[in-house]
Every structure is written in structure tokens, then in C-alpha cells.
Amino acid sequence: MKKSFKKASAIVLTMALIINSSVSVFAAKTTSSRYSGQIYSADLTINMDLPSNSSLIVRPYAKKQVLTAPMYFHNYNEASTVSGEDKISYMVGLAGYTCVATSASSTDPVKVAAKLPAGKTTKTITAKIELGEVQENEIMDSEEFQSSFVTVKSLAVTRLSKTSYDGSAGSAYTRNDDTTQIKVEPGMYLPYRITGSVNTSAKWASKDKIVIVPVFSIGIVIETVP
């Protein structure tokens, strides 16, 4: 019991440290629980890939207009079958996003919306941030990743932001009303992606740009193997 308590304390602290250092994509989760006891430096490790180099490619005239490479959260903890050992899972949710548009012309600005305007030439982009089904293996082929993706949670990007989220206390982002999370058990992968389209009837310029930063909530579940 003492071992589990110490480990849980260390991981909660580590999560806060990692979230603060990976400022581009994470929102810290708060907790009302208080932990006490000694934290050892060797325990300040979290066995999970946290994406920090996600990319969004907008191709206004390509068939697949908005593309993302395969991206995953991966829980590196091993699933133990030993009674009394810890089972460490992570909870991942869509906390929100920022969406910053740069326009080549102030008279023809880039916009983001829930759907494309029919019969108009407005420079409009639609986008959704999606969490997929938890799976045992990762798929690195981009086309297979997209074709096999099953959406479990989705957040539509419908508002522009003044600046991109940087993880600081004063950094604002559009918050998601849905606070539910997906459980990622030891050894499992949680895929995510950004999908959407652009208005191909618009007169796009080379300096038109939009940057979407997804903000994820990260939680932790410590269970004891029966």
C-alpha cells in the first residue's frame, strides 16, 4: 500500500511537470486530492508518449484537403497480472483548442466555420479534432490510419483565436463543454487526428494560413490488480 501511494503521488506530480514543459498541446487537470510523503527523483517519470509535434497540412485543391500524419497517445506501462501490483491507466479528453488565422489580405480574411458556405467564395476552412478507438497496435501508414480511424470523441473548430495556446496560466483557448475522457490502459494506443475541408471556390493566396492547436486534458487512474 505504501508503494502504491508513493507511486501515485509521483505520477501526479510528474504529469504537472510534463504538461508545463509541453506547452503547445496540453491543459493541466486540477484535483482536490492532497498527497503527502516523499517523492524520489527516480519516480519522476511518466510512461506515456505525449504528442508535441503534431502538424496540420492544408491543401486547398487536393482531394484530401486537410491531412494529418498518424498520431497517438501511447501508455508505456506494462499490464501486470500480479495481485497487489499497480495498474496505471491514463484518461485523455478534448479540453479545447486555439485556431489562429493569417490572411494575405485584410479585405478577404480566412475564416473557420462548422460548414463551408454554399455558393460563396469566402476563404473558409472547417476542421474537427477527433479521438479514436483505443487499440493494441499503432498504424504508421497514413492512408491506413485514416481509413481505419473510428471516431469516439469529436470537437468542431468553429472559433478563431487571437494567439495560439502556450500552456501558461494566462493563455486562453476555446474550451470544450464535453469533459468526458477516454481510458488508455497499459500498453494501449489512443489515436487522434484533425480532419476537415476548405472552400475551393475561394481565391486562396500563398500567405493564407491557419494554425490549430488541440488542447488535451490528461488524467490518471491507479488501480490494484486483484
Side-chain angles (χ1 to χ4, degrees):
M1 180 63 69
K2 183 177 181 181
K3 176 184 176 183
S4 299
F5 182 78
K6 177 176 73 66
K7 185 181 293 184
S9 301
I11 291 175
V12 169
L13 174 61
T14 304
M15 180 62 72
L17 293 174
I18 290 182
I19 287 171
N20 288 335
S21 63
S22 301
V23 297
S24 60
V25 291
F26 299 108
K29 291 291 290 183
T30 59
T31 175
S32 59
S33 301
R34 291 192 175 215
Y35 296 93
S36 60
Q38 185 173 0
I39 305 300
Y40 298 91
S41 60
D43 292 321
L44 295 181
T45 302
I46 187 166
N47 288 326
M48 189 177 186
D49 273 342
L50 299 177
S52 59
N53 296 312
S54 306
S55 62
L56 173 66
I57 303 172
V58 177
R59 301 180 178 177
Y61 307 109
K63 183 177 181 182
K64 296 181 178 178
Q65 295 172 339
V66 178
L67 306 178
T68 53
M71 294 179 287
Y72 293 93
F73 291 92
H74 180 205
N75 185 345
Y76 272 110
N77 291 294
E78 295 182 1
S80 176
T81 58
V82 180
S83 179
E85 285 289 319
D86 290 334
K87 175 184 175 183
I88 303 172
S89 301
Y90 300 106
M91 305 297 294
V92 180
L94 295 171
Y97 64 86
T98 56
C99 179
V100 177
T102 302
S103 305
S105 170
S106 60
T107 59
D108 192 11
V110 176
K111 299 179 179 180
V112 64
K115 61 181 182 179
L116 297 179
K120 296 183 179 180
T121 59
T122 309
K123 293 180 181 177
T124 308
I125 292 177
T126 69
K128 288 184 178 180
I129 306 166
E130 299 176 327
L131 293 176
E133 283 188 339
V134 175
Q135 57 195 50
E136 294 182 356
N137 302 297
E138 61 180 332
I139 299 173
M140 295 312 297
D141 179 80
S142 294
E143 290 191 8
E144 185 180 356
F145 174 85
Q146 297 291 3
S147 63
S148 64
F149 195 99
V150 177
T151 303
V152 176
K153 288 291 180 182
S154 177
L155 175 60
V157 178
T158 58
R159 294 179 58 186
L160 289 177
S161 311
K162 292 183 178 179
T163 58
S164 291
Y165 177 70
D166 66 9
S168 64
S171 184
Y173 62 94
T174 299
R175 297 179 183 271
N176 186 8
D177 292 333
D178 183 356
T179 59
T180 59
Q181 297 175 306
I182 297 175
K183 187 176 184 180
V184 187
E185 297 190 339
M188 304 299 281
Y189 294 83
L190 173 62
Y192 79 95
R193 67 181 182 179
I194 300 173
T195 63
S197 59
V198 301
N199 184 8
T200 57
S201 297
K203 294 181 179 180
W204 294 91
S206 61
K207 293 184 179 181
D208 290 326
K209 183 175 68 172
I210 196 162
V211 176
I212 296 172
V213 177
V215 182
F216 299 101
S217 62
I218 310 293
I220 187 169
V221 176
I222 308 291
E223 299 170 296
T224 303
V225 178

